[in-house]
Amino acid sequence: MDKSRTRRALLDGALDLLRDRSLDNLGIREVTRAAGVAPAAFYRHFQRIDDLGLVLVEEAFVTLRELMNEARAGAADTDDIINNSVTVLVAHVRSHQDHYRFIAREQFSPITSVKLAIRREIKLFATELSTDLARLPVTSTWPAPDLVMLADLIVGLMVDTAKRLIDVLEEAPEREPEVVRETERRLRYLSFGATAWHPR
Amino acid sequence: MDKSRTRRALLDGALDLLRDRSLDNLGIREVTRAAGVAPAAFYRHFQRIDDLGLVLVEEAFVTLRELMNEARAGAADTDDIINNSVTVLVAHVRSHQDHYRFIAREQFSPITSVKLAIRREIKLFATELSTDLARLPVTSTWPAPDLVMLADLIVGLMVDTAKRLIDVLEEAPEREPEVVRETERRLRYLSFGATAWHPR
DNA sequence: CCATACTGTGAACAGTTGTTCACTCGTACT
DNA sequence: AGTACGAGTGAACAACTGTTCACAGTATGG
């Protein structure tokens, strides 16, 4: 009947299974079963499991852009930016756990199309972040490559934090504040580094 | 006949398959086939595929410690340390590609025992690195937590670099120097950061 | 030199997989 | 009102999976 309806059911079912399975090992029959649909129905929406994966990647990064916008909202001095960013990141990871776990895991996926898509999106994300950095007083005079470098370092830290958060959330939730503080420290370290850095 | 002989064959066969498969999706039959051995033989050496994975993790980190020792060998001023470290890392990743790819990929493995083992080893690795950092002039006065933080940042960078290197090596080997230069810059950024950092 | 322990074998098991097929509807458009 | 489209079905296919089993061969130790 409603095409988009079962499509969503397939995506959600897949995302649910991907909680403790890798995309590489995700069976078409499993997904359709989780979606409450006949196996053959899968092919009305995707050709292969890879396509399903690509859609999930796209979805995940849509939420990442949401994150960016939220974080940009309250911008004061550097320290506030850091604390605010981390708070927003934590809240976001918490409410989109499945998507974050998925991209963290499939970042090195043997399914090349998915791996490449994720890498491309992360690169894009870092570029956007670097244009934001260009507006800050400390880094406003830096040339583009240096901005990208710093943005890459920050994004790497974010990915790492997301990974830690997911683990902590499902294993020892009471240790969450600890992760938050750790991340803020590291981020502060990176931003202090900017004051000592001589760009070329 | 020779027990350790087939055991190695199984490990090597697995490592070979893991080039474009995730551990989660690695079949026992596949492994025995790659090792040229009957399926049932697998159970003489490992109970489940997880155990095989744990052995591979251990092997990978043995080579990582080799790396550490090699890198420690030629230590001069900070700039030399950076260049030397990166050179050694590159050489090492090149000659142990399969192991590095494996740990990079399974760092987020759905197979929890393997994931935990990797995380534990990385943590240990960072701790060792931090005691090395304590010997450097810039960081000698830092308290332990700050040293660990910096070590974590560096290790994170190394993992990231290993990942990039593997991709570059099998997709566009001519761009290797580019990755090397990029990594040196980032590492230098992190070390410059140390001069501006106020530990507490 | 014999007996014991143990690695590797090949057959068998029931279960699951991806993919195709002709099919039945319900929907939307003419 | 009727028709053409296409989403979802259920059965069928051969191929593969993990695991067990009794057995064969060989090395080791008494």
Side-chain angles (χ1 to χ4, degrees), chain A residues 17-23 100-109 118 170, chain B residues 104-105 108-111 115:
Chain A
L17 288 166
L18 285 169
R19 225 192 288 273
D20 39 30
R21 229 173 226 67
S22 69
L23 182 62
Y100 277 96
R101 183 189 300 106
F102 172 70
I103 60 171
R105 186 171 285 162
E106 303 302 331
Q107 202 183 354
F108 306 94
S109 178
I118 293 180
E170 65 191 17
Chain B
R105 186 171 286 163
F108 307 93
S109 178
I111 297 176
K115 184 187 74 178

PDB file of all heavy atoms in Angstrom, chain A residues 17-23 100-109 118 170, chain B residues 104-105 108-111 115:
ATOM      1  N   LEU A  17      18.702  -3.863  14.063  1.00  0.00           N
ATOM      2  CA  LEU A  17      19.588  -5.020  13.998  1.00  0.00           C
ATOM      3  C   LEU A  17      21.049  -4.596  14.072  1.00  0.00           C
ATOM      4  O   LEU A  17      21.892  -5.293  14.641  1.00  0.00           O
ATOM      5  CB  LEU A  17      19.352  -5.793  12.698  1.00  0.00           C
ATOM      6  CG  LEU A  17      18.042  -6.574  12.633  1.00  0.00           C
ATOM      7  CD1 LEU A  17      17.751  -7.020  11.206  1.00  0.00           C
ATOM      8  CD2 LEU A  17      18.112  -7.781  13.560  1.00  0.00           C
ATOM      9  N   LEU A  18      21.348  -3.448  13.500  1.00  0.00           N
ATOM     10  CA  LEU A  18      22.731  -2.973  13.446  1.00  0.00           C
ATOM     11  C   LEU A  18      23.267  -2.586  14.821  1.00  0.00           C
ATOM     12  O   LEU A  18      24.427  -2.215  14.953  1.00  0.00           O
ATOM     13  CB  LEU A  18      22.845  -1.789  12.489  1.00  0.00           C
ATOM     14  CG  LEU A  18      22.784  -2.164  11.000  1.00  0.00           C
ATOM     15  CD1 LEU A  18      22.636  -0.937  10.128  1.00  0.00           C
ATOM     16  CD2 LEU A  18      24.022  -2.952  10.605  1.00  0.00           C
ATOM     17  N   ARG A  19      22.404  -2.675  15.804  1.00  0.00           N
ATOM     18  CA  ARG A  19      22.858  -2.404  17.157  1.00  0.00           C
ATOM     19  C   ARG A  19      23.958  -3.401  17.542  1.00  0.00           C
ATOM     20  O   ARG A  19      24.938  -3.026  18.169  1.00  0.00           O
ATOM     21  CB  ARG A  19      21.685  -2.522  18.132  1.00  0.00           C
ATOM     22  CG  ARG A  19      21.605  -1.405  19.141  1.00  0.00           C
ATOM     23  CD  ARG A  19      20.601  -1.763  20.221  1.00  0.00           C
ATOM     24  NE  ARG A  19      19.210  -1.711  19.741  1.00  0.00           N
ATOM     25  CZ  ARG A  19      18.489  -0.603  19.755  1.00  0.00           C
ATOM     26  NH1 ARG A  19      19.001   0.521  20.171  1.00  0.00           N
ATOM     27  NH2 ARG A  19      17.241  -0.616  19.331  1.00  0.00           N
ATOM     28  N   ASP A  20      23.754  -4.645  17.192  1.00  0.00           N
ATOM     29  CA  ASP A  20      24.790  -5.626  17.506  1.00  0.00           C
ATOM     30  C   ASP A  20      25.161  -6.524  16.330  1.00  0.00           C
ATOM     31  O   ASP A  20      25.386  -7.740  16.475  1.00  0.00           O
ATOM     32  CB  ASP A  20      24.411  -6.479  18.734  1.00  0.00           C
ATOM     33  CG  ASP A  20      22.932  -6.827  18.739  1.00  0.00           C
ATOM     34  OD1 ASP A  20      22.364  -6.939  17.645  1.00  0.00           O
ATOM     35  OD2 ASP A  20      22.360  -6.983  19.834  1.00  0.00           O
ATOM     36  N   ARG A  21      25.180  -5.947  15.179  1.00  0.00           N
ATOM     37  CA  ARG A  21      25.585  -6.629  13.958  1.00  0.00           C
ATOM     38  C   ARG A  21      26.307  -5.607  13.104  1.00  0.00           C
ATOM     39  O   ARG A  21      26.050  -4.416  13.229  1.00  0.00           O
ATOM     40  CB  ARG A  21      24.329  -7.084  13.204  1.00  0.00           C
ATOM     41  CG  ARG A  21      24.336  -8.536  12.758  1.00  0.00           C
ATOM     42  CD  ARG A  21      22.987  -8.918  12.185  1.00  0.00           C
ATOM     43  NE  ARG A  21      22.495 -10.179  12.690  1.00  0.00           N
ATOM     44  CZ  ARG A  21      22.142 -10.405  13.932  1.00  0.00           C
ATOM     45  NH1 ARG A  21      22.207  -9.435  14.812  1.00  0.00           N
ATOM     46  NH2 ARG A  21      21.712 -11.589  14.308  1.00  0.00           N
ATOM     47  N   SER A  22      27.213  -6.050  12.252  1.00  0.00           N
ATOM     48  CA  SER A  22      27.804  -5.096  11.319  1.00  0.00           C
ATOM     49  C   SER A  22      27.069  -5.173   9.986  1.00  0.00           C
ATOM     50  O   SER A  22      26.494  -6.209   9.648  1.00  0.00           O
ATOM     51  CB  SER A  22      29.286  -5.397  11.132  1.00  0.00           C
ATOM     52  OG  SER A  22      29.460  -6.598  10.439  1.00  0.00           O
ATOM     53  N   LEU A  23      27.108  -4.087   9.263  1.00  0.00           N
ATOM     54  CA  LEU A  23      26.387  -4.017   7.987  1.00  0.00           C
ATOM     55  C   LEU A  23      26.795  -5.167   7.079  1.00  0.00           C
ATOM     56  O   LEU A  23      25.981  -5.740   6.347  1.00  0.00           O
ATOM     57  CB  LEU A  23      26.681  -2.675   7.306  1.00  0.00           C
ATOM     58  CG  LEU A  23      25.958  -2.433   5.976  1.00  0.00           C
ATOM     59  CD1 LEU A  23      24.462  -2.411   6.163  1.00  0.00           C
ATOM     60  CD2 LEU A  23      26.425  -1.131   5.347  1.00  0.00           C
ATOM     61  N   TYR A 100      24.617   7.175  15.341  1.00  0.00           N
ATOM     62  CA  TYR A 100      26.024   7.440  15.662  1.00  0.00           C
ATOM     63  C   TYR A 100      26.817   6.152  15.763  1.00  0.00           C
ATOM     64  O   TYR A 100      27.949   6.060  15.287  1.00  0.00           O
ATOM     65  CB  TYR A 100      26.133   8.245  16.961  1.00  0.00           C
ATOM     66  CG  TYR A 100      25.941   9.727  16.757  1.00  0.00           C
ATOM     67  CD1 TYR A 100      24.722  10.335  16.944  1.00  0.00           C
ATOM     68  CD2 TYR A 100      27.009  10.521  16.336  1.00  0.00           C
ATOM     69  CE1 TYR A 100      24.542  11.699  16.742  1.00  0.00           C
ATOM     70  CE2 TYR A 100      26.850  11.878  16.139  1.00  0.00           C
ATOM     71  CZ  TYR A 100      25.618  12.459  16.342  1.00  0.00           C
ATOM     72  OH  TYR A 100      25.451  13.800  16.130  1.00  0.00           O
ATOM     73  N   ARG A 101      26.215   5.150  16.388  1.00  0.00           N
ATOM     74  CA  ARG A 101      26.919   3.876  16.481  1.00  0.00           C
ATOM     75  C   ARG A 101      27.186   3.332  15.074  1.00  0.00           C
ATOM     76  O   ARG A 101      28.264   2.842  14.765  1.00  0.00           O
ATOM     77  CB  ARG A 101      26.114   2.857  17.279  1.00  0.00           C
ATOM     78  CG  ARG A 101      26.876   1.547  17.447  1.00  0.00           C
ATOM     79  CD  ARG A 101      26.029   0.457  18.038  1.00  0.00           C
ATOM     80  NE  ARG A 101      25.512   0.793  19.359  1.00  0.00           N
ATOM     81  CZ  ARG A 101      24.256   1.119  19.622  1.00  0.00           C
ATOM     82  NH1 ARG A 101      23.372   1.166  18.639  1.00  0.00           N
ATOM     83  NH2 ARG A 101      23.885   1.404  20.836  1.00  0.00           N
ATOM     84  N   PHE A 102      26.196   3.478  14.239  1.00  0.00           N
ATOM     85  CA  PHE A 102      26.324   2.984  12.871  1.00  0.00           C
ATOM     86  C   PHE A 102      27.487   3.638  12.130  1.00  0.00           C
ATOM     87  O   PHE A 102      28.349   2.952  11.571  1.00  0.00           O
ATOM     88  CB  PHE A 102      25.013   3.216  12.117  1.00  0.00           C
ATOM     89  CG  PHE A 102      25.093   2.924  10.650  1.00  0.00           C
ATOM     90  CD1 PHE A 102      25.224   1.626  10.193  1.00  0.00           C
ATOM     91  CD2 PHE A 102      25.035   3.957   9.722  1.00  0.00           C
ATOM     92  CE1 PHE A 102      25.298   1.348   8.836  1.00  0.00           C
ATOM     93  CE2 PHE A 102      25.114   3.694   8.365  1.00  0.00           C
ATOM     94  CZ  PHE A 102      25.242   2.392   7.924  1.00  0.00           C
ATOM     95  N   ILE A 103      27.536   4.969  12.139  1.00  0.00           N
ATOM     96  CA  ILE A 103      28.617   5.608  11.377  1.00  0.00           C
ATOM     97  C   ILE A 103      29.974   5.359  12.008  1.00  0.00           C
ATOM     98  O   ILE A 103      30.968   5.203  11.306  1.00  0.00           O
ATOM     99  CB  ILE A 103      28.398   7.123  11.164  1.00  0.00           C
ATOM    100  CG1 ILE A 103      28.301   7.876  12.474  1.00  0.00           C
ATOM    101  CG2 ILE A 103      27.219   7.396  10.287  1.00  0.00           C
ATOM    102  CD1 ILE A 103      28.305   9.382  12.304  1.00  0.00           C
ATOM    103  N   ALA A 104      30.025   5.293  13.344  1.00  0.00           N
ATOM    104  CA  ALA A 104      31.310   4.998  13.983  1.00  0.00           C
ATOM    105  C   ALA A 104      31.814   3.641  13.532  1.00  0.00           C
ATOM    106  O   ALA A 104      32.982   3.471  13.179  1.00  0.00           O
ATOM    107  CB  ALA A 104      31.162   5.029  15.504  1.00  0.00           C
ATOM    108  N   ARG A 105      30.914   2.668  13.522  1.00  0.00           N
ATOM    109  CA  ARG A 105      31.306   1.307  13.186  1.00  0.00           C
ATOM    110  C   ARG A 105      31.632   1.144  11.709  1.00  0.00           C
ATOM    111  O   ARG A 105      32.631   0.525  11.338  1.00  0.00           O
ATOM    112  CB  ARG A 105      30.170   0.364  13.587  1.00  0.00           C
ATOM    113  CG  ARG A 105      30.509  -1.093  13.421  1.00  0.00           C
ATOM    114  CD  ARG A 105      29.440  -1.959  14.032  1.00  0.00           C
ATOM    115  NE  ARG A 105      29.480  -1.989  15.482  1.00  0.00           N
ATOM    116  CZ  ARG A 105      28.473  -2.375  16.257  1.00  0.00           C
ATOM    117  NH1 ARG A 105      27.340  -2.751  15.717  1.00  0.00           N
ATOM    118  NH2 ARG A 105      28.599  -2.384  17.565  1.00  0.00           N
ATOM    119  N   GLU A 106      30.810   1.728  10.858  1.00  0.00           N
ATOM    120  CA  GLU A 106      30.959   1.501   9.420  1.00  0.00           C
ATOM    121  C   GLU A 106      31.955   2.454   8.769  1.00  0.00           C
ATOM    122  O   GLU A 106      32.141   2.419   7.559  1.00  0.00           O
ATOM    123  CB  GLU A 106      29.606   1.581   8.725  1.00  0.00           C
ATOM    124  CG  GLU A 106      28.576   0.617   9.269  1.00  0.00           C
ATOM    125  CD  GLU A 106      29.019  -0.849   9.191  1.00  0.00           C
ATOM    126  OE1 GLU A 106      29.799  -1.192   8.295  1.00  0.00           O
ATOM    127  OE2 GLU A 106      28.599  -1.637  10.060  1.00  0.00           O
ATOM    128  N   GLN A 107      32.574   3.281   9.609  1.00  0.00           N
ATOM    129  CA  GLN A 107      33.619   4.161   9.101  1.00  0.00           C
ATOM    130  C   GLN A 107      34.728   3.353   8.422  1.00  0.00           C
ATOM    131  O   GLN A 107      35.392   3.810   7.502  1.00  0.00           O
ATOM    132  CB  GLN A 107      34.204   4.943  10.277  1.00  0.00           C
ATOM    133  CG  GLN A 107      34.901   6.217   9.911  1.00  0.00           C
ATOM    134  CD  GLN A 107      35.501   6.862  11.159  1.00  0.00           C
ATOM    135  OE1 GLN A 107      35.288   6.401  12.276  1.00  0.00           O
ATOM    136  NE2 GLN A 107      36.273   7.923  10.958  1.00  0.00           N
ATOM    137  N   PHE A 108      34.918   2.131   8.883  1.00  0.00           N
ATOM    138  CA  PHE A 108      35.935   1.243   8.316  1.00  0.00           C
ATOM    139  C   PHE A 108      35.285   0.043   7.649  1.00  0.00           C
ATOM    140  O   PHE A 108      35.905  -1.020   7.522  1.00  0.00           O
ATOM    141  CB  PHE A 108      36.874   0.759   9.417  1.00  0.00           C
ATOM    142  CG  PHE A 108      37.485   1.860  10.224  1.00  0.00           C
ATOM    143  CD1 PHE A 108      36.906   2.282  11.404  1.00  0.00           C
ATOM    144  CD2 PHE A 108      38.636   2.487   9.786  1.00  0.00           C
ATOM    145  CE1 PHE A 108      37.479   3.306  12.153  1.00  0.00           C
ATOM    146  CE2 PHE A 108      39.209   3.510  10.533  1.00  0.00           C
ATOM    147  CZ  PHE A 108      38.630   3.923  11.708  1.00  0.00           C
ATOM    148  N   SER A 109      34.056   0.208   7.250  1.00  0.00           N
ATOM    149  CA  SER A 109      33.298  -0.907   6.703  1.00  0.00           C
ATOM    150  C   SER A 109      33.986  -1.539   5.494  1.00  0.00           C
ATOM    151  O   SER A 109      34.592  -0.858   4.679  1.00  0.00           O
ATOM    152  CB  SER A 109      31.915  -0.415   6.293  1.00  0.00           C
ATOM    153  OG  SER A 109      31.174  -1.449   5.710  1.00  0.00           O
ATOM    154  N   ILE A 118      30.767   7.678   3.986  1.00  0.00           N
ATOM    155  CA  ILE A 118      31.000   8.221   5.322  1.00  0.00           C
ATOM    156  C   ILE A 118      32.210   9.148   5.325  1.00  0.00           C
ATOM    157  O   ILE A 118      32.173  10.253   5.858  1.00  0.00           O
ATOM    158  CB  ILE A 118      31.209   7.085   6.344  1.00  0.00           C
ATOM    159  CG1 ILE A 118      29.917   6.294   6.520  1.00  0.00           C
ATOM    160  CG2 ILE A 118      31.679   7.650   7.684  1.00  0.00           C
ATOM    161  CD1 ILE A 118      30.012   5.153   7.498  1.00  0.00           C
ATOM    162  N   GLU A 170      25.564   2.596  27.386  1.00  0.00           N
ATOM    163  CA  GLU A 170      24.937   1.282  27.499  1.00  0.00           C
ATOM    164  C   GLU A 170      25.685   0.337  28.436  1.00  0.00           C
ATOM    165  O   GLU A 170      25.305  -0.798  28.596  1.00  0.00           O
ATOM    166  CB  GLU A 170      24.777   0.643  26.105  1.00  0.00           C
ATOM    167  CG  GLU A 170      26.063   0.316  25.392  1.00  0.00           C
ATOM    168  CD  GLU A 170      25.775  -0.049  23.935  1.00  0.00           C
ATOM    169  OE1 GLU A 170      24.660   0.261  23.434  1.00  0.00           O
ATOM    170  OE2 GLU A 170      26.642  -0.638  23.298  1.00  0.00           O
TER     171      GLU A 170
ATOM    172  N   ALA B 104      41.941  -1.485  13.248  1.00  0.00           N
ATOM    173  CA  ALA B 104      41.187  -0.266  12.947  1.00  0.00           C
ATOM    174  C   ALA B 104      39.717  -0.605  12.773  1.00  0.00           C
ATOM    175  O   ALA B 104      38.830   0.061  13.313  1.00  0.00           O
ATOM    176  CB  ALA B 104      41.727   0.398  11.684  1.00  0.00           C
ATOM    177  N   ARG B 105      39.452  -1.665  12.036  1.00  0.00           N
ATOM    178  CA  ARG B 105      38.070  -2.030  11.725  1.00  0.00           C
ATOM    179  C   ARG B 105      37.342  -2.570  12.938  1.00  0.00           C
ATOM    180  O   ARG B 105      36.202  -2.205  13.204  1.00  0.00           O
ATOM    181  CB  ARG B 105      38.075  -3.060  10.594  1.00  0.00           C
ATOM    182  CG  ARG B 105      36.717  -3.418  10.089  1.00  0.00           C
ATOM    183  CD  ARG B 105      36.802  -4.256   8.831  1.00  0.00           C
ATOM    184  NE  ARG B 105      37.182  -3.476   7.667  1.00  0.00           N
ATOM    185  CZ  ARG B 105      37.633  -4.000   6.536  1.00  0.00           C
ATOM    186  NH1 ARG B 105      37.797  -5.301   6.440  1.00  0.00           N
ATOM    187  NH2 ARG B 105      37.935  -3.232   5.517  1.00  0.00           N
ATOM    188  N   PHE B 108      35.479  -1.082  16.668  1.00  0.00           N
ATOM    189  CA  PHE B 108      34.054  -0.891  16.969  1.00  0.00           C
ATOM    190  C   PHE B 108      33.281  -2.175  16.719  1.00  0.00           C
ATOM    191  O   PHE B 108      32.089  -2.155  16.458  1.00  0.00           O
ATOM    192  CB  PHE B 108      33.477   0.233  16.102  1.00  0.00           C
ATOM    193  CG  PHE B 108      34.246   1.507  16.168  1.00  0.00           C
ATOM    194  CD1 PHE B 108      35.248   1.784  15.250  1.00  0.00           C
ATOM    195  CD2 PHE B 108      33.969   2.436  17.158  1.00  0.00           C
ATOM    196  CE1 PHE B 108      35.955   2.972  15.314  1.00  0.00           C
ATOM    197  CE2 PHE B 108      34.674   3.619  17.222  1.00  0.00           C
ATOM    198  CZ  PHE B 108      35.671   3.891  16.299  1.00  0.00           C
ATOM    199  N   SER B 109      33.981  -3.274  16.786  1.00  0.00           N
ATOM    200  CA  SER B 109      33.364  -4.555  16.437  1.00  0.00           C
ATOM    201  C   SER B 109      32.147  -4.860  17.293  1.00  0.00           C
ATOM    202  O   SER B 109      32.095  -4.549  18.486  1.00  0.00           O
ATOM    203  CB  SER B 109      34.399  -5.660  16.615  1.00  0.00           C
ATOM    204  OG  SER B 109      33.821  -6.910  16.339  1.00  0.00           O
ATOM    205  N   PRO B 110      31.136  -5.455  16.683  1.00  0.00           N
ATOM    206  CA  PRO B 110      29.979  -5.913  17.441  1.00  0.00           C
ATOM    207  C   PRO B 110      30.330  -7.109  18.324  1.00  0.00           C
ATOM    208  O   PRO B 110      29.572  -7.444  19.227  1.00  0.00           O
ATOM    209  CB  PRO B 110      28.969  -6.322  16.374  1.00  0.00           C
ATOM    210  CG  PRO B 110      29.626  -6.190  15.062  1.00  0.00           C
ATOM    211  CD  PRO B 110      30.983  -5.671  15.235  1.00  0.00           C
ATOM    212  N   ILE B 111      31.458  -7.729  18.042  1.00  0.00           N
ATOM    213  CA  ILE B 111      31.907  -8.828  18.894  1.00  0.00           C
ATOM    214  C   ILE B 111      32.607  -8.223  20.098  1.00  0.00           C
ATOM    215  O   ILE B 111      33.762  -7.801  20.046  1.00  0.00           O
ATOM    216  CB  ILE B 111      32.842  -9.761  18.120  1.00  0.00           C
ATOM    217  CG1 ILE B 111      32.070 -10.382  16.953  1.00  0.00           C
ATOM    218  CG2 ILE B 111      33.404 -10.838  19.023  1.00  0.00           C
ATOM    219  CD1 ILE B 111      32.879 -11.238  16.052  1.00  0.00           C
ATOM    220  N   LYS B 115      36.252  -6.202  20.800  1.00  0.00           N
ATOM    221  CA  LYS B 115      36.219  -4.747  20.956  1.00  0.00           C
ATOM    222  C   LYS B 115      36.865  -4.331  22.265  1.00  0.00           C
ATOM    223  O   LYS B 115      37.714  -3.432  22.299  1.00  0.00           O
ATOM    224  CB  LYS B 115      34.761  -4.260  20.907  1.00  0.00           C
ATOM    225  CG  LYS B 115      34.608  -2.757  20.973  1.00  0.00           C
ATOM    226  CD  LYS B 115      33.161  -2.333  21.090  1.00  0.00           C
ATOM    227  CE  LYS B 115      32.610  -2.602  22.463  1.00  0.00           C
ATOM    228  NZ  LYS B 115      31.204  -2.155  22.644  1.00  0.00           N
TER     229      LYS B 115
END
